[in-house]
Structure formats: C-alpha cells, structure tokens
Amino acid sequence: MPPTPTLTDRRSPWVVFTSPADPWPASETAALVQRGGLVLRLDGREMRDAASVFRAFARELSFPGYFGHNWDALVDCLHDWHGPGHGDQDLAILIDHADDLLTSDFLGLFVSVLAQAAWNSNLRLDADGEPDEWRRPMAQHFVFLLDHTAPAAFAEAAARGRDVAVALSDGRLLVTLTDTNWPGGDPASAPWTAGPLSFADEEILRGMHVQGITRFREHLGCSVHEALDILQSRSGHLRRAHPGTRPETG
C-alpha cells in the first residue's frame, strides 16, 4: 500500500487529490496548526490559465515583487517561501473547488511544479543529494479538494507531469516524484506508477473498454470505478491528441 499522506511530516506524497468530505484534510490541517504550521487556501475556480495560477499564488503567499510569473519562478518562490511574519513555518496549501482544473492543458505541469517545490522544501538537499546544512527543511504539501469529481479522474492528467508518479489509496490520488531523478523522498516499497498512463492505449483505441479497465486495475491496484474514471480521462486525452483517430467499437 502507498504511505498514508501527511501534512506534518517531511515525506511524500507531495500532492493529494481528495474530496472535502474526506476527514483526512481536516485532521491533518488541525495537527499542522497545533504544531505552529500554517494553512493557506486558494480557489481553484480562479485558475483558468497559467497566468491566473501565478497571480493567485503571488497574492495569497505574498510573493516578492521579483516573482517572475512563470513555472520555474513558482518552484523557486515556493521553495524559498518566507511570507510576511511566517519565517520558515511548515506549510500546507489547499486548493478548493479544483474540479475545473481537470480540463486545463497545464494540469500535469502544474502538479509536477508543486511536487518539485515540496520535494525541495521538505528535504533541502544540495546538488550532491546531501542535506543542505545551511537551510532548515520545512514540511510543505499541497491538497486539491474536489467538490464533485472523483480523484481518480485526475490520475491520467497528473501522471503526464514531468517525473511524476501516482498512486491511488483510500479514494485519494497521491502524487510523488520518480526516485531516479528526485531521490530520498519515497519508501521503496510504495507502488507508484510513473509516467503517462499509456499502457491501455491499444485497448482504448480498439474500443475494448473492459480490457482497458482491467489493465488499469492491474497497474494501479484501483477499483473498477476508479479504473473507469481513468479510462474516460485517458480516452479524452487521446481524442484531443489525435483528433483524426476514433476508437473502434465492439
């Protein structure tokens, strides 16, 4: 089983997709605040494009004026986050009403950027992969709260992020980074699936949906309903990526 997600410990998963009805975010944010950490909330309905993502983070986290409003700058500012009066507090960022991000063309990149920022903040490793003696690590995690969309539906899009690996557990979608390029953050036994979820593309394109669902269940260890959500998301991606190709029927 994948590790239980956390907002207080300095370990992955770095990003979690779940429902507001899930009791885990409330209990974890309460524990984080109790130990002196900080919880910030952003509104996913504002994040219509990359520019609005940068504006929302810059406003809510009081980024410095030199923030470059690009993905690399977002990683850097989250890594070095020092909001007014916050020092180097542990931090959880919750993105409410995040359902519409499923149809955004930047979701994979967005998730990858957040995971990279969290990896940097939680582990504080230097260029040699050793702990940075000059900077204190701080817990930093991200949670997408979905009002009406199953977390599994985001698995396919999230997995297209650079160096991203995903897992499904207890109805939540968990996101980490591949150990090869981002060492030190994950238990070796965790059953993460890295890279685009393309292993059922042949079945999808041939209209063999039952076989496609089986492939997703085999690779991800998910339920039938979760596999169906992932299949539908992957089918939509294939239609957009190859508009001249239509799945066969039968």
Side-chain angles (χ1 to χ4, degrees):
M1 291 289 293
T4 302
T6 177
L7 298 181
T8 58
D9 296 339
R10 295 193 301 271
R11 62 166 174 83
S12 77
W14 310 126
V15 181
V16 177
F17 290 78
T18 191
S19 163
D22 181 357
W24 170 80
S27 63
E28 281 291 303
T29 53
L32 181 65
V33 171
Q34 186 175 26
R35 58 183 284 176
L38 187 66
V39 178
L40 297 179
R41 307 189 81 108
L42 284 71
D43 191 336
R45 294 171 297 189
E46 294 185 10
M47 299 179 184
R48 300 175 300 279
D49 50 32
S52 59
V53 170
F54 304 142
R55 286 195 298 271
F57 272 82
R59 182 187 68 242
E60 298 302 326
L61 277 75
S62 301
F63 282 172
Y66 57 77
F67 171 55
H69 288 260
N70 59 62
W71 295 113
D72 289 337
L74 183 57
V75 171
D76 291 341
C77 280
L78 287 170
H79 181 201
D80 296 326
W81 186 75
H82 295 281
H86 301 150
D88 53 2
Q89 284 177 283
D90 293 336
L91 174 67
I93 296 178
L94 277 57
I95 301 177
D96 294 299
H97 315 300
D99 301 74
D100 289 347
L101 285 165
L102 181 59
T103 58
S104 67
D105 58 4
F106 58 84
L107 179 64
L109 178 57
F110 185 21
V111 170
S112 178
V113 162
L114 296 182
Q116 291 175 33
W119 182 90
N120 284 326
S121 296
N122 280 272
L123 301 181
R124 294 290 200 201
L125 302 181
D126 62 21
D128 297 321
E130 298 295 329
D132 188 338
E133 59 182 295
W134 301 106
R135 309 174 76 182
R136 187 186 77 82
M138 65 178 186
Q140 185 181 97
H141 296 87
F142 301 89
V143 181
F144 288 76
L145 293 171
L146 309 172
D147 295 327
H148 51 77
T149 308
F154 280 75
E156 191 278 328
R160 281 187 261 126
R162 181 181 177 185
D163 297 332
V164 163
V166 300
L168 290 159
S169 180
D170 297 326
R172 307 176 189 118
L173 173 65
L174 314 179
V175 179
T176 189
L177 294 168
T178 54
D179 191 65
T180 301
N181 296 321
W182 305 88
D186 307 309
S189 60
W192 303 106
T193 300
L197 306 185
S198 59
F199 36 77
D201 284 1
E202 181 178 352
E203 287 82 358
I204 292 172
L205 291 172
R206 294 177 62 186
M208 301 167 60
H209 292 167
V210 172
Q211 292 86 341
I213 289 171
T214 300
R215 294 292 299 276
F216 285 124
R217 295 194 69 195
E218 291 172 349
H219 280 262
L220 297 167
C222 57
S223 69
V224 172
H225 292 297
E226 290 173 330
L228 179 58
D229 286 331
I230 298 167
L231 182 142
Q232 291 173 339
S233 181
R234 184 68 186 172
S235 297
H237 169 69
L238 291 174
R239 287 194 300 270
R240 292 188 296 273
H242 308 285
T245 302
R246 294 189 176 277
E248 298 175 11
T249 57

